Amino acid sequence: MTSGGTDFADVTYDLISVQYHALKAGKHNDQYIRDAEGAGLDDVAGFFREIQEQDAARARRCHEFLRRLSGTEQGGPATR
């Protein structure tokens, strides 16, 4: 797979992208939870909380991988 419109695979770039989108989604989930709670839809708010937890777990996992790959060949050009 290529990353960022380049001709090389860059696992670090890919992980950073997934982490960024997970963290950004987490920020939006706060509003979704408030909207559902304001509408009295506790089950929907609970669903949004589940998504928020999954996004946070995804971001943490990316962070762990990034720490492990830092400075290695497997991390791609961004870590060299």
Side-chain angles (χ1 to χ4, degrees):
M1 170 173 23
T2 62
S3 300
T6 63
D7 290 333
F8 57 84
D10 188 336
V11 174
T12 297
Y13 175 92
D14 298 340
L15 286 166
I16 290 169
S17 180
V18 170
Q19 185 180 43
Y20 168 80
H21 290 288
L23 292 170
K24 188 172 181 181
K27 181 178 177 182
H28 293 290
N29 288 332
D30 287 334
Q31 183 62 52
Y32 303 156
I33 292 166
R34 286 191 299 273
D35 290 347
E37 289 174 340
L41 299 169
D42 293 335
D43 56 339
V44 176
F47 170 70
F48 289 135
R49 282 190 197 90
E50 288 175 25
I51 292 171
Q52 189 174 44
E53 290 170 10
Q54 292 167 2
D55 287 333
R58 190 174 297 112
R60 279 191 302 274
R61 187 120 189 248
C62 285
H63 189 75
E64 291 167 8
F65 283 129
L66 287 165
R67 184 179 16 224
R68 189 181 85 199
L69 292 172
S70 180
T72 67
E73 287 291 316
Q74 294 90 353
T79 62
R80 289 184 209 140

